[in-house]
Amino acid sequence: MTDATFDPLNEINRQIAASCKIAGRNPDAVQLIAVSKTRSADEILPLLKSGQRVFGENRVQEAEAKWPALKTEFPDVQLHLIGQLQSNKAAEAVAIFDCIHSLDRLSLLKALGKAMREQAKSVPCFLQVNIGAEEQKGGCAIADIPALLAAAKDESIPVIGLMCLPPADIEPAPFFALLAELAARNGLGQLSMGMSDDFGTAIMLGATHIRIGTALFGKRAV
Ligand SMILES: *Cc1c(COP(=O)(O)O)cnc(C)c1O
């Protein structure tokens, strides 16, 4: 195949379908989130023109700078926040995002609850779990999941599933399997797990949302 005809979006969708076939899953049950952090509008446009509508950003300010203009042309775009969120940005996040993957602590939960009430907007959230108990990583401790889910219920925040970023440079499968087990134990149906290097494994283990940047856009400059 020549490079001129290589279409990364097509290729990723083909790989998703192949993984789903092996896993005996319906490809419609796996949502591809195109991670467009650090990418310019010019880099994002070809994906929009190919029909991709779900995008992930890791910073509120970057999303605010980039997406309103793109959304005037593609109003059905859905934006997912996949990066760490500071409580003082909760209101802005609720205003611009359709889904938040990084809910991981009580203070943020309260700020999001307040913002959703004030804006009369209910934004589905994933509870991010620090699945490898790594000191420097975001995400709640496994032991804190039930209390955070109860607090989210009190705040009327719709928590639809669990999200994780497994430790780097180790086989991710056991961490994905553990996240799936924790979701099932807590009655949660959605799993945000799997990135460019490991989404096939994540799909085998039940991922419903995969977050892919590099494999769609190429290596990030930073
Ligand atoms: C950047 C990022 C991704 C995408 O990673 P790639 O390896 O480029 O596919 C996925 N999830 C989160 C939380 C990220 O910050």
Side-chain angles (χ1 to χ4, degrees), residues 33 35 37 39 57-58 81-84 101 128 163-165 192 194-199 210-216 218-220:
I33 301 172
V35 176
K37 66 186 185 198
R39 315 294 178 171
E57 290 284 347
N58 67 341
L81 178 64
I82 61 169
Q84 290 274 95
H101 292 237
Q128 182 177 349
M163 179 274 214
C164 78
L165 271 161
S192 171
M195 321 202 313
S196 290
D197 289 337
D198 54 22
F199 68 89
I210 55 176
R211 311 177 308 262
I212 299 188
T214 308
L216 282 172
K219 279 209 185 319
R220 278 178 296 274

PDB file of all heavy atoms in Angstrom, residues 33 35 37 39 57-58 81-84 101 128 163-165 192 194-199 210-216 218-220, ligand 1:
ATOM      1  N   ILE A  33     -12.512   7.580  20.921  1.00  0.00           N
ATOM      2  CA  ILE A  33     -12.292   8.990  21.260  1.00  0.00           C
ATOM      3  C   ILE A  33     -10.971   9.408  20.616  1.00  0.00           C
ATOM      4  O   ILE A  33      -9.910   8.896  20.972  1.00  0.00           O
ATOM      5  CB  ILE A  33     -12.233   9.196  22.787  1.00  0.00           C
ATOM      6  CG1 ILE A  33     -13.542   8.718  23.433  1.00  0.00           C
ATOM      7  CG2 ILE A  33     -11.963  10.663  23.120  1.00  0.00           C
ATOM      8  CD1 ILE A  33     -13.498   8.694  24.959  1.00  0.00           C
ATOM      9  N   VAL A  35      -8.027  11.559  20.416  1.00  0.00           N
ATOM     10  CA  VAL A  35      -7.398  12.472  21.382  1.00  0.00           C
ATOM     11  C   VAL A  35      -6.641  13.562  20.622  1.00  0.00           C
ATOM     12  O   VAL A  35      -5.577  13.321  20.056  1.00  0.00           O
ATOM     13  CB  VAL A  35      -6.478  11.707  22.347  1.00  0.00           C
ATOM     14  CG1 VAL A  35      -5.751  12.677  23.272  1.00  0.00           C
ATOM     15  CG2 VAL A  35      -7.297  10.705  23.165  1.00  0.00           C
ATOM     16  N   LYS A  37      -5.512  16.535  21.808  1.00  0.00           N
ATOM     17  CA  LYS A  37      -4.673  17.462  22.593  1.00  0.00           C
ATOM     18  C   LYS A  37      -3.405  17.796  21.812  1.00  0.00           C
ATOM     19  O   LYS A  37      -2.830  16.912  21.161  1.00  0.00           O
ATOM     20  CB  LYS A  37      -4.315  16.828  23.939  1.00  0.00           C
ATOM     21  CG  LYS A  37      -3.423  15.599  23.828  1.00  0.00           C
ATOM     22  CD  LYS A  37      -3.222  14.920  25.184  1.00  0.00           C
ATOM     23  CE  LYS A  37      -2.240  13.770  25.063  1.00  0.00           C
ATOM     24  NZ  LYS A  37      -2.308  12.833  26.183  1.00  0.00           N
ATOM     25  N   ARG A  39      -3.084  19.193  19.104  1.00  0.00           N
ATOM     26  CA  ARG A  39      -3.245  19.229  17.640  1.00  0.00           C
ATOM     27  C   ARG A  39      -3.999  20.476  17.220  1.00  0.00           C
ATOM     28  O   ARG A  39      -4.969  20.882  17.858  1.00  0.00           O
ATOM     29  CB  ARG A  39      -4.010  17.996  17.141  1.00  0.00           C
ATOM     30  CG  ARG A  39      -3.570  16.690  17.737  1.00  0.00           C
ATOM     31  CD  ARG A  39      -2.168  16.306  17.332  1.00  0.00           C
ATOM     32  NE  ARG A  39      -1.786  15.047  17.992  1.00  0.00           N
ATOM     33  CZ  ARG A  39      -0.691  14.365  17.720  1.00  0.00           C
ATOM     34  NH1 ARG A  39       0.175  14.803  16.827  1.00  0.00           N
ATOM     35  NH2 ARG A  39      -0.418  13.250  18.356  1.00  0.00           N
ATOM     36  N   GLU A  57      -9.816  15.928  24.848  1.00  0.00           N
ATOM     37  CA  GLU A  57      -8.824  16.973  25.152  1.00  0.00           C
ATOM     38  C   GLU A  57      -8.423  16.811  26.614  1.00  0.00           C
ATOM     39  O   GLU A  57      -9.211  16.338  27.436  1.00  0.00           O
ATOM     40  CB  GLU A  57      -9.430  18.371  24.938  1.00  0.00           C
ATOM     41  CG  GLU A  57      -9.697  18.712  23.471  1.00  0.00           C
ATOM     42  CD  GLU A  57      -8.425  19.082  22.696  1.00  0.00           C
ATOM     43  OE1 GLU A  57      -7.380  19.321  23.343  1.00  0.00           O
ATOM     44  OE2 GLU A  57      -8.481  19.125  21.451  1.00  0.00           O
ATOM     45  N   ASN A  58      -7.192  17.219  26.953  1.00  0.00           N
ATOM     46  CA  ASN A  58      -6.801  17.063  28.350  1.00  0.00           C
ATOM     47  C   ASN A  58      -6.713  18.383  29.112  1.00  0.00           C
ATOM     48  O   ASN A  58      -6.432  18.381  30.298  1.00  0.00           O
ATOM     49  CB  ASN A  58      -5.497  16.252  28.494  1.00  0.00           C
ATOM     50  CG  ASN A  58      -4.299  16.969  27.932  1.00  0.00           C
ATOM     51  OD1 ASN A  58      -4.457  17.898  27.139  1.00  0.00           O
ATOM     52  ND2 ASN A  58      -3.112  16.552  28.322  1.00  0.00           N
ATOM     53  N   LEU A  81     -13.407  15.320  28.228  1.00  0.00           N
ATOM     54  CA  LEU A  81     -12.237  15.756  28.995  1.00  0.00           C
ATOM     55  C   LEU A  81     -11.565  14.515  29.578  1.00  0.00           C
ATOM     56  O   LEU A  81     -12.169  13.782  30.366  1.00  0.00           O
ATOM     57  CB  LEU A  81     -12.644  16.712  30.120  1.00  0.00           C
ATOM     58  CG  LEU A  81     -11.475  17.176  31.000  1.00  0.00           C
ATOM     59  CD1 LEU A  81     -10.466  17.996  30.199  1.00  0.00           C
ATOM     60  CD2 LEU A  81     -11.969  17.994  32.185  1.00  0.00           C
ATOM     61  N   ILE A  82     -10.311  14.295  29.176  1.00  0.00           N
ATOM     62  CA  ILE A  82      -9.613  13.086  29.631  1.00  0.00           C
ATOM     63  C   ILE A  82      -8.452  13.407  30.575  1.00  0.00           C
ATOM     64  O   ILE A  82      -7.827  12.516  31.105  1.00  0.00           O
ATOM     65  CB  ILE A  82      -9.074  12.274  28.425  1.00  0.00           C
ATOM     66  CG1 ILE A  82      -8.079  13.107  27.612  1.00  0.00           C
ATOM     67  CG2 ILE A  82     -10.230  11.802  27.536  1.00  0.00           C
ATOM     68  CD1 ILE A  82      -7.328  12.296  26.575  1.00  0.00           C
ATOM     69  N   GLY A  83      -8.160  14.700  30.774  1.00  0.00           N
ATOM     70  CA  GLY A  83      -7.025  15.074  31.624  1.00  0.00           C
ATOM     71  C   GLY A  83      -7.450  15.538  33.002  1.00  0.00           C
ATOM     72  O   GLY A  83      -8.628  15.782  33.258  1.00  0.00           O
ATOM     73  N   GLN A  84      -6.488  15.657  33.867  1.00  0.00           N
ATOM     74  CA  GLN A  84      -6.701  16.120  35.244  1.00  0.00           C
ATOM     75  C   GLN A  84      -7.478  17.434  35.247  1.00  0.00           C
ATOM     76  O   GLN A  84      -7.213  18.311  34.427  1.00  0.00           O
ATOM     77  CB  GLN A  84      -5.357  16.386  35.903  1.00  0.00           C
ATOM     78  CG  GLN A  84      -4.560  15.135  36.181  1.00  0.00           C
ATOM     79  CD  GLN A  84      -4.948  14.539  37.512  1.00  0.00           C
ATOM     80  OE1 GLN A  84      -5.792  13.657  37.574  1.00  0.00           O
ATOM     81  NE2 GLN A  84      -4.361  15.026  38.577  1.00  0.00           N
ATOM     82  N   HIS A 101     -13.805  12.372  32.104  1.00  0.00           N
ATOM     83  CA  HIS A 101     -13.231  11.068  32.460  1.00  0.00           C
ATOM     84  C   HIS A 101     -12.357  11.120  33.707  1.00  0.00           C
ATOM     85  O   HIS A 101     -11.806  10.101  34.093  1.00  0.00           O
ATOM     86  CB  HIS A 101     -12.382  10.536  31.295  1.00  0.00           C
ATOM     87  CG  HIS A 101     -13.156  10.161  30.073  1.00  0.00           C
ATOM     88  ND1 HIS A 101     -13.120   8.899  29.496  1.00  0.00           N
ATOM     89  CD2 HIS A 101     -14.015  10.886  29.306  1.00  0.00           C
ATOM     90  CE1 HIS A 101     -13.890   8.875  28.428  1.00  0.00           C
ATOM     91  NE2 HIS A 101     -14.452  10.060  28.279  1.00  0.00           N
ATOM     92  N   GLN A 128     -12.129   8.199  37.695  1.00  0.00           N
ATOM     93  CA  GLN A 128     -10.776   7.754  37.335  1.00  0.00           C
ATOM     94  C   GLN A 128     -10.148   7.046  38.528  1.00  0.00           C
ATOM     95  O   GLN A 128     -10.132   7.566  39.643  1.00  0.00           O
ATOM     96  CB  GLN A 128      -9.899   8.943  36.908  1.00  0.00           C
ATOM     97  CG  GLN A 128      -8.505   8.493  36.473  1.00  0.00           C
ATOM     98  CD  GLN A 128      -7.625   9.629  35.971  1.00  0.00           C
ATOM     99  OE1 GLN A 128      -8.098  10.751  35.751  1.00  0.00           O
ATOM    100  NE2 GLN A 128      -6.351   9.345  35.790  1.00  0.00           N
ATOM    101  N   MET A 163     -12.507   4.798  34.696  1.00  0.00           N
ATOM    102  CA  MET A 163     -11.449   5.108  33.739  1.00  0.00           C
ATOM    103  C   MET A 163     -10.099   4.825  34.386  1.00  0.00           C
ATOM    104  O   MET A 163      -9.956   5.005  35.598  1.00  0.00           O
ATOM    105  CB  MET A 163     -11.553   6.586  33.345  1.00  0.00           C
ATOM    106  CG  MET A 163     -10.497   7.089  32.370  1.00  0.00           C
ATOM    107  SD  MET A 163      -8.948   7.645  33.118  1.00  0.00           S
ATOM    108  CE  MET A 163      -8.511   8.983  32.006  1.00  0.00           C
ATOM    109  N   CYS A 164      -9.135   4.370  33.595  1.00  0.00           N
ATOM    110  CA  CYS A 164      -7.778   4.226  34.144  1.00  0.00           C
ATOM    111  C   CYS A 164      -6.718   4.471  33.085  1.00  0.00           C
ATOM    112  O   CYS A 164      -6.964   4.402  31.877  1.00  0.00           O
ATOM    113  CB  CYS A 164      -7.552   2.853  34.784  1.00  0.00           C
ATOM    114  SG  CYS A 164      -7.263   1.510  33.603  1.00  0.00           S
ATOM    115  N   LEU A 165      -5.535   4.801  33.586  1.00  0.00           N
ATOM    116  CA  LEU A 165      -4.293   4.893  32.815  1.00  0.00           C
ATOM    117  C   LEU A 165      -3.340   3.937  33.514  1.00  0.00           C
ATOM    118  O   LEU A 165      -2.789   4.287  34.556  1.00  0.00           O
ATOM    119  CB  LEU A 165      -3.711   6.301  32.956  1.00  0.00           C
ATOM    120  CG  LEU A 165      -4.087   7.411  32.006  1.00  0.00           C
ATOM    121  CD1 LEU A 165      -3.758   8.757  32.640  1.00  0.00           C
ATOM    122  CD2 LEU A 165      -3.317   7.270  30.717  1.00  0.00           C
ATOM    123  N   SER A 192     -13.546   3.228  30.395  1.00  0.00           N
ATOM    124  CA  SER A 192     -12.671   4.069  29.573  1.00  0.00           C
ATOM    125  C   SER A 192     -11.240   3.605  29.789  1.00  0.00           C
ATOM    126  O   SER A 192     -10.611   3.935  30.797  1.00  0.00           O
ATOM    127  CB  SER A 192     -12.836   5.545  29.975  1.00  0.00           C
ATOM    128  OG  SER A 192     -11.853   6.354  29.343  1.00  0.00           O
ATOM    129  N   GLY A 194      -7.550   1.976  27.428  1.00  0.00           N
ATOM    130  CA  GLY A 194      -6.938   1.631  26.154  1.00  0.00           C
ATOM    131  C   GLY A 194      -6.546   2.875  25.393  1.00  0.00           C
ATOM    132  O   GLY A 194      -7.347   3.800  25.242  1.00  0.00           O
ATOM    133  N   MET A 195      -5.278   2.920  24.940  1.00  0.00           N
ATOM    134  CA  MET A 195      -4.741   4.033  24.164  1.00  0.00           C
ATOM    135  C   MET A 195      -4.079   3.438  22.905  1.00  0.00           C
ATOM    136  O   MET A 195      -4.297   2.284  22.576  1.00  0.00           O
ATOM    137  CB  MET A 195      -3.750   4.837  25.007  1.00  0.00           C
ATOM    138  CG  MET A 195      -4.209   4.970  26.459  1.00  0.00           C
ATOM    139  SD  MET A 195      -3.526   6.343  27.414  1.00  0.00           S
ATOM    140  CE  MET A 195      -1.805   6.286  27.067  1.00  0.00           C
ATOM    141  N   SER A 196      -3.286   4.238  22.212  1.00  0.00           N
ATOM    142  CA  SER A 196      -2.734   3.789  20.920  1.00  0.00           C
ATOM    143  C   SER A 196      -2.046   2.426  20.988  1.00  0.00           C
ATOM    144  O   SER A 196      -2.192   1.609  20.087  1.00  0.00           O
ATOM    145  CB  SER A 196      -1.729   4.826  20.397  1.00  0.00           C
ATOM    146  OG  SER A 196      -2.410   5.994  20.013  1.00  0.00           O
ATOM    147  N   ASP A 197      -1.279   2.189  22.056  1.00  0.00           N
ATOM    148  CA  ASP A 197      -0.453   0.983  22.096  1.00  0.00           C
ATOM    149  C   ASP A 197      -1.185  -0.255  22.603  1.00  0.00           C
ATOM    150  O   ASP A 197      -0.661  -1.363  22.481  1.00  0.00           O
ATOM    151  CB  ASP A 197       0.768   1.217  23.007  1.00  0.00           C
ATOM    152  CG  ASP A 197       1.759   2.169  22.359  1.00  0.00           C
ATOM    153  OD1 ASP A 197       1.731   2.284  21.113  1.00  0.00           O
ATOM    154  OD2 ASP A 197       2.543   2.787  23.094  1.00  0.00           O
ATOM    155  N   ASP A 198      -2.338  -0.062  23.236  1.00  0.00           N
ATOM    156  CA  ASP A 198      -2.929  -1.219  23.920  1.00  0.00           C
ATOM    157  C   ASP A 198      -4.445  -1.322  23.777  1.00  0.00           C
ATOM    158  O   ASP A 198      -5.091  -2.026  24.540  1.00  0.00           O
ATOM    159  CB  ASP A 198      -2.534  -1.191  25.406  1.00  0.00           C
ATOM    160  CG  ASP A 198      -2.892   0.125  26.085  1.00  0.00           C
ATOM    161  OD1 ASP A 198      -3.778   0.834  25.572  1.00  0.00           O
ATOM    162  OD2 ASP A 198      -2.295   0.434  27.138  1.00  0.00           O
ATOM    163  N   PHE A 199      -5.017  -0.619  22.793  1.00  0.00           N
ATOM    164  CA  PHE A 199      -6.485  -0.620  22.733  1.00  0.00           C
ATOM    165  C   PHE A 199      -7.064  -1.981  22.360  1.00  0.00           C
ATOM    166  O   PHE A 199      -8.177  -2.312  22.771  1.00  0.00           O
ATOM    167  CB  PHE A 199      -7.012   0.510  21.831  1.00  0.00           C
ATOM    168  CG  PHE A 199      -6.725   0.360  20.370  1.00  0.00           C
ATOM    169  CD1 PHE A 199      -7.603  -0.321  19.544  1.00  0.00           C
ATOM    170  CD2 PHE A 199      -5.574   0.913  19.814  1.00  0.00           C
ATOM    171  CE1 PHE A 199      -7.340  -0.445  18.182  1.00  0.00           C
ATOM    172  CE2 PHE A 199      -5.315   0.791  18.462  1.00  0.00           C
ATOM    173  CZ  PHE A 199      -6.188   0.104  17.639  1.00  0.00           C
ATOM    174  N   ILE A 210     -12.280   3.962  24.059  1.00  0.00           N
ATOM    175  CA  ILE A 210     -10.826   3.914  23.913  1.00  0.00           C
ATOM    176  C   ILE A 210     -10.345   5.305  23.493  1.00  0.00           C
ATOM    177  O   ILE A 210     -11.005   5.991  22.717  1.00  0.00           O
ATOM    178  CB  ILE A 210     -10.376   2.825  22.919  1.00  0.00           C
ATOM    179  CG1 ILE A 210     -11.053   2.998  21.566  1.00  0.00           C
ATOM    180  CG2 ILE A 210     -10.682   1.434  23.486  1.00  0.00           C
ATOM    181  CD1 ILE A 210     -10.567   2.013  20.513  1.00  0.00           C
ATOM    182  N   ARG A 211      -9.207   5.713  24.042  1.00  0.00           N
ATOM    183  CA  ARG A 211      -8.712   7.091  23.860  1.00  0.00           C
ATOM    184  C   ARG A 211      -7.428   7.050  23.043  1.00  0.00           C
ATOM    185  O   ARG A 211      -6.395   6.646  23.522  1.00  0.00           O
ATOM    186  CB  ARG A 211      -8.458   7.717  25.236  1.00  0.00           C
ATOM    187  CG  ARG A 211      -9.632   7.553  26.236  1.00  0.00           C
ATOM    188  CD  ARG A 211      -9.264   8.130  27.589  1.00  0.00           C
ATOM    189  NE  ARG A 211      -8.002   7.622  28.095  1.00  0.00           N
ATOM    190  CZ  ARG A 211      -7.877   6.622  28.973  1.00  0.00           C
ATOM    191  NH1 ARG A 211      -8.941   6.015  29.458  1.00  0.00           N
ATOM    192  NH2 ARG A 211      -6.680   6.240  29.363  1.00  0.00           N
ATOM    193  N   ILE A 212      -7.531   7.463  21.775  1.00  0.00           N
ATOM    194  CA  ILE A 212      -6.404   7.261  20.858  1.00  0.00           C
ATOM    195  C   ILE A 212      -5.930   8.572  20.244  1.00  0.00           C
ATOM    196  O   ILE A 212      -6.692   9.280  19.593  1.00  0.00           O
ATOM    197  CB  ILE A 212      -6.810   6.265  19.753  1.00  0.00           C
ATOM    198  CG1 ILE A 212      -7.161   4.935  20.424  1.00  0.00           C
ATOM    199  CG2 ILE A 212      -5.680   6.099  18.739  1.00  0.00           C
ATOM    200  CD1 ILE A 212      -7.396   3.812  19.479  1.00  0.00           C
ATOM    201  N   GLY A 213      -4.660   8.890  20.484  1.00  0.00           N
ATOM    202  CA  GLY A 213      -4.052  10.092  19.921  1.00  0.00           C
ATOM    203  C   GLY A 213      -3.012   9.750  18.869  1.00  0.00           C
ATOM    204  O   GLY A 213      -3.216   9.938  17.662  1.00  0.00           O
ATOM    205  N   THR A 214      -1.872   9.244  19.335  1.00  0.00           N
ATOM    206  CA  THR A 214      -0.716   9.011  18.468  1.00  0.00           C
ATOM    207  C   THR A 214      -1.048   8.186  17.224  1.00  0.00           C
ATOM    208  O   THR A 214      -0.594   8.521  16.121  1.00  0.00           O
ATOM    209  CB  THR A 214       0.388   8.304  19.283  1.00  0.00           C
ATOM    210  OG1 THR A 214       0.614   9.070  20.477  1.00  0.00           O
ATOM    211  CG2 THR A 214       1.670   8.220  18.502  1.00  0.00           C
ATOM    212  N   ALA A 215      -1.804   7.135  17.374  1.00  0.00           N
ATOM    213  CA  ALA A 215      -2.076   6.253  16.232  1.00  0.00           C
ATOM    214  C   ALA A 215      -2.941   6.945  15.171  1.00  0.00           C
ATOM    215  O   ALA A 215      -2.980   6.515  14.021  1.00  0.00           O
ATOM    216  CB  ALA A 215      -2.749   4.965  16.700  1.00  0.00           C
ATOM    217  N   LEU A 216      -3.620   8.025  15.547  1.00  0.00           N
ATOM    218  CA  LEU A 216      -4.432   8.769  14.576  1.00  0.00           C
ATOM    219  C   LEU A 216      -3.702   9.963  13.990  1.00  0.00           C
ATOM    220  O   LEU A 216      -3.826  10.277  12.814  1.00  0.00           O
ATOM    221  CB  LEU A 216      -5.711   9.277  15.253  1.00  0.00           C
ATOM    222  CG  LEU A 216      -6.838   8.268  15.467  1.00  0.00           C
ATOM    223  CD1 LEU A 216      -7.935   8.904  16.329  1.00  0.00           C
ATOM    224  CD2 LEU A 216      -7.408   7.810  14.149  1.00  0.00           C
ATOM    225  N   GLY A 218      -0.181  10.766  14.650  1.00  0.00           N
ATOM    226  CA  GLY A 218       1.274  10.715  14.670  1.00  0.00           C
ATOM    227  C   GLY A 218       1.811  11.120  16.034  1.00  0.00           C
ATOM    228  O   GLY A 218       1.035  11.458  16.931  1.00  0.00           O
ATOM    229  N   LYS A 219       3.117  11.072  16.174  1.00  0.00           N
ATOM    230  CA  LYS A 219       3.744  11.407  17.464  1.00  0.00           C
ATOM    231  C   LYS A 219       3.503  12.859  17.831  1.00  0.00           C
ATOM    232  O   LYS A 219       3.540  13.732  16.972  1.00  0.00           O
ATOM    233  CB  LYS A 219       5.249  11.168  17.390  1.00  0.00           C
ATOM    234  CG  LYS A 219       5.664   9.720  17.582  1.00  0.00           C
ATOM    235  CD  LYS A 219       7.070   9.686  18.186  1.00  0.00           C
ATOM    236  CE  LYS A 219       7.641   8.276  18.301  1.00  0.00           C
ATOM    237  NZ  LYS A 219       6.716   7.250  18.743  1.00  0.00           N
ATOM    238  N   ARG A 220       3.262  13.102  19.141  1.00  0.00           N
ATOM    239  CA  ARG A 220       3.145  14.484  19.602  1.00  0.00           C
ATOM    240  C   ARG A 220       4.526  15.115  19.701  1.00  0.00           C
ATOM    241  O   ARG A 220       5.493  14.454  20.013  1.00  0.00           O
ATOM    242  CB  ARG A 220       2.450  14.538  20.969  1.00  0.00           C
ATOM    243  CG  ARG A 220       0.942  14.463  20.899  1.00  0.00           C
ATOM    244  CD  ARG A 220       0.326  14.480  22.279  1.00  0.00           C
ATOM    245  NE  ARG A 220       0.690  13.304  23.059  1.00  0.00           N
ATOM    246  CZ  ARG A 220       0.053  12.141  23.016  1.00  0.00           C
ATOM    247  NH1 ARG A 220      -0.972  11.982  22.214  1.00  0.00           N
ATOM    248  NH2 ARG A 220       0.452  11.136  23.741  1.00  0.00           N
TER     249      ARG A 220
HETATM  250  C1  LIG B   1      -2.769  11.620  25.630  1.00  0.00           C
HETATM  251  C2  LIG B   1      -3.733  10.687  26.263  1.00  0.00           C
HETATM  252  C3  LIG B   1      -4.242   9.581  25.561  1.00  0.00           C
HETATM  253  C4  LIG B   1      -3.813   9.219  24.146  1.00  0.00           C
HETATM  254  O1  LIG B   1      -2.561   8.605  24.173  1.00  0.00           O
HETATM  255  P1  LIG B   1      -1.896   8.008  22.820  1.00  0.00           P
HETATM  256  O2  LIG B   1      -0.841   7.106  23.349  1.00  0.00           O
HETATM  257  O3  LIG B   1      -1.349   9.190  22.086  1.00  0.00           O
HETATM  258  O4  LIG B   1      -2.939   7.301  22.070  1.00  0.00           O
HETATM  259  C5  LIG B   1      -5.190   8.793  26.193  1.00  0.00           C
HETATM  260  N1  LIG B   1      -5.609   9.053  27.443  1.00  0.00           N
HETATM  261  C6  LIG B   1      -5.145  10.097  28.155  1.00  0.00           C
HETATM  262  C7  LIG B   1      -5.661  10.330  29.529  1.00  0.00           C
HETATM  263  C8  LIG B   1      -4.186  10.942  27.598  1.00  0.00           C
HETATM  264  O5  LIG B   1      -3.737  11.990  28.305  1.00  0.00           O
END
